[in-house]
Structure formats: C-alpha cells, structure tokens
Amino acid sequence: MRHFLDLADWRSSDIMGLLDRAHELKQAMKDGQQRPLLAGKTLGMVFQKPSLRTRTSFDVGMFQLGGHAVMLGPDEIQLGQRESITDVAQVLSGYVDGIMARVFQHGHLLQLAAKATVPVINGLSDDRHPCQALADMLTVYEAFGQIEGLKIAYVGDGNNVAASLMLASVKLGADFAIATPPQYGLPQTVWEKAVAEVTDRPVNIKGYTNPNEAVQDAHVVYTDTWVSMGQESQRDEKLRHFRPYQINEQLLSHARSDAIVMHCLPAHRGEEITDAVMDGPRSAVFQQSENRLHAQKALLVDLMG
Ligand code: CP
Ligand code: NVA
C-alpha cells in the first residue's frame, strides 16, 4: 500500500509526476473540462487540529473529482483515546478509499498506515507537512518555469513546514537555505535525510542564523508562523527569539529582484511577515494556497484512482 506521509519516501520523478498532473488538472478545471476521476470514491478526513486550507481543499478536491469526503473532527474519533489508532485504521479502511489525517505525533500516522488497507495521506503532523510542500513546489514551478537550479530560502522556525520544504527542494534540485535562531533549527534527522539526497544531486543546503545571509540571491523567500499548533504555551518566549526573522521589505532587498514571497498560512501579520510584503507585488501566498487544491487532486488521483 502506497502512502504519502513524508516526501523523503517518494522518488523525485514521482513527485515531479504529481506536479505535472496538478498542472493539467488545474488547467482542465479553468477550462471547464474536469473529469470524474474518483467517481464513487470516498476520502476520510481525520483532524486532531484546526484547519482552513487542508480541510477545504481536500473536501472540494474530492467533490470536483466526482467523489466524496467525510469529515471526522477531533471530538468525533478522539484518535487513540476512544479506541486504538490501529483499530481506527482497520475500521475506516472498511468504509473509505483513502484516509487523510492531521495529527500531533507523526508516529500516529505511521500507526494508521501500518494497519490501514487504503492509502494514508499526511495532512500535517508535528514533524512534516508534505501536502503543503507539494503545493509550494507547484507554485515555484509556475513562477519560474523550473525548480532545478533555483534557490529557496526559508526564514523562521525549523518546523514541520520547513522540514518538508527542505526535502522537496533537494529532491527537485533546488538549493535550500534556512535561517533560524540557533535553538530553533531543523532536527538533525531532517538534515541527515536531506544530506542523503544531496549525494545524488548537485544542490547546496545550508543553515544560517542571519536571515540576510540566507536570503542572499534567493528566488523564493518563505516563512511560516513562529508558534505552531500545539506550541501556544511557548508563544511569549518564541516571539522574543524570532523578532529579527520577520519577512519585511528590508530583508527582501537581499533576495533577487524577481524573488517571490511564500507563506503556507495562516499568517500572523506583523509577526513573521509584514502586511506590505504579504499584500505586495512579490507575494505568491494566495496562488500558493489555491495550489493546495490542485496539488492534492493530483495526489488523490495517483493514490486512489
Ligand atoms: N497551510 C495549511 O495547512 O493551512 P490549514 O492549517 O488552514 O489547513
Ligand atoms: N507550522 C504550522 C503550519 C500550519 C499550517 C503548524 O504546524 O501549526
């Protein structure tokens, strides 16, 4: 059974195949030429955390493909509390053709996938956000007509979004630079996975503490919230460390003049990104959020079609 839990498990050519398919599906939708590629199929959507983009784009995506989605919120399944995760996996597999789950512990996705007899998609865990990275790469591809040879710079917290973005970048041949406060870098295990990919490809990956250095000559300047879901109690402390890591016009002046700005959203305007940048001419954030729909439709067709 093929799952989509971590881009590290996917071949570069398969990821590029998803992006090509996403581009085709997006064009078909704009031309009014959608086909019911998942007619009669159902996706179960398990959420332990809130969501706007992931929940809506998967639901709408299934509808547009002629299928159906069932929402299972935190109070319904109570993953691992009301019954075991492996029991949930086996029960759901009897009803649905795919499971998309947003969880706290990445290990809970592994438990779901171990027992599910249908594909399991990671809709975000504390460690990874691969659906986001797929939409991000589609956005980069649309902006520059290529991914290979570009430089993607991430500034902020070394979190789930940063991890998946780094893995996607190296898999698809882009240089990746990340600037974080020293104590908030990506985990060693993520660096090891990315470095293992680099041996096959001529890409550079580098960590910085100075955001100006990281974004130097970057094609893409990317950020995410400084306080991820589940970290609310760390908010005051994190805000103190992250102030110098804001994406503002001064920081952007160090990137290429044609650089685009990306954010997975939700944004905390005035914290990790200013209004001027988010609403400015270089912002790709709403194209990026729309691309969640197209990228995930490609993924759903690939896994459930
Ligand atoms: N970017 C993203 O995953 O947004 P949601 O948390 O709203 O789904
Ligand atoms: N890093 C953020 C991403 C939200 C889409 C979080 O995990 O809350």
Side-chain angles (χ1 to χ4, degrees):
M1 183 53 55
R2 194 152 185 238
H3 305 292
F4 187 75
L5 305 181
D6 184 351
L7 286 172
D9 307 331
W10 276 57
R11 284 203 302 261
S12 303
S13 54
D14 291 344
I15 300 170
M16 272 319 290
L18 288 177
L19 297 187
D20 288 335
R21 183 117 203 205
H23 178 74
E24 282 166 28
L25 290 169
K26 183 172 183 176
Q27 198 55 49
M29 183 186 144
K30 307 258 172 198
D31 295 343
Q33 306 276 336
Q34 300 206 81
R35 288 189 295 141
L37 298 169
L38 294 181
K41 299 279 171 95
T42 301
L43 178 73
M45 305 194 299
V46 177
F47 280 91
Q48 288 189 313
K49 301 181 182 182
S51 170
L52 168 60
R53 282 144 290 269
T54 305
R55 188 243 193 274
T56 314
S57 55
F58 270 107
D59 197 336
V60 170
M62 282 304 293
F63 174 76
Q64 291 183 354
L65 290 165
H68 175 64
V70 178
M71 171 69 182
L72 299 158
D75 296 335
E76 289 162 288
I77 291 198
Q78 300 172 24
L79 205 61
Q81 290 169 13
R82 190 162 176 265
E83 59 196 306
S84 77
I85 294 173
T86 50
D87 286 353
V88 170
Q90 292 173 90
V91 172
L92 275 179
S93 296
Y95 302 137
V96 301
D97 305 284
I99 299 168
M100 187 278 296
R102 167 167 287 196
V103 301
F104 287 93
Q105 294 177 43
H106 191 80
H108 288 172
L109 288 172
L110 302 177
Q111 286 180 40
L112 269 178
K115 281 290 178 184
T117 56
V118 298
V120 177
I121 296 170
N122 179 358
L124 179 147
S125 69
D126 285 347
D127 298 353
R128 299 285 190 277
H129 199 359
C131 292
Q132 183 64 55
L134 212 51
D136 297 342
M137 288 301 161
L138 179 61
T139 310
V140 171
Y141 195 46
E142 287 174 341
F144 295 99
Q146 65 184 84
I147 295 170
E148 215 168 84
L150 300 183
K151 176 178 174 182
I152 297 177
Y154 177 98
V155 176
D157 191 20
N159 62 16
N160 45 9
V161 168
S164 289
L165 187 68
M166 172 149 97
L167 292 166
S169 300
V170 293
K171 287 246 174 203
L172 301 185
D175 290 345
F176 185 78
I178 177 167
T180 69
Q183 63 274 54
Y184 293 107
L186 280 168
Q188 193 57 35
T189 48
V190 178
W191 280 102
E192 282 162 12
K193 283 192 173 180
V195 168
E197 291 289 336
V198 169
T199 54
D200 298 343
R201 290 176 199 84
V203 301
N204 294 308
I205 50 174
K206 195 163 174 192
Y208 297 84
T209 52
N210 183 335
N212 292 343
E213 288 174 17
V215 306
Q216 197 73 46
D217 298 324
H219 296 81
V220 175
V221 178
Y222 196 120
T223 192
D224 180 19
T225 182
W226 296 332
V227 185
S228 285
M229 291 180 276
Q231 299 182 337
E232 290 75 12
S233 66
Q234 301 170 39
R235 184 177 164 78
D236 290 348
E237 194 197 336
K238 288 192 93 173
L239 251 51
R240 274 203 302 281
H241 289 107
F242 280 96
R243 289 273 178 232
Y245 293 82
Q246 183 185 66
I247 306 283
N248 51 37
E249 281 164 322
Q250 193 279 331
L251 179 64
L252 262 191
S253 69
H254 294 273
R256 284 172 58 104
S257 58
D258 61 349
I260 60 167
V261 174
M262 298 180 68
H263 190 312
C264 61
L265 306 181
H268 302 77
R269 288 166 174 262
E271 291 182 11
E272 74 274 6
I273 191 165
T274 59
D275 283 331
V277 169
M278 181 133 162
D279 299 324
R282 297 158 84 173
S283 169
V285 300
F286 297 112
Q287 178 189 345
Q288 185 186 355
S289 60
E290 184 194 319
N291 279 339
R292 291 291 303 276
L293 172 66
H294 309 298
Q296 287 159 197
K297 279 165 74 179
L299 178 66
L300 290 165
V301 170
D302 185 80
L303 292 176
M304 291 163 60

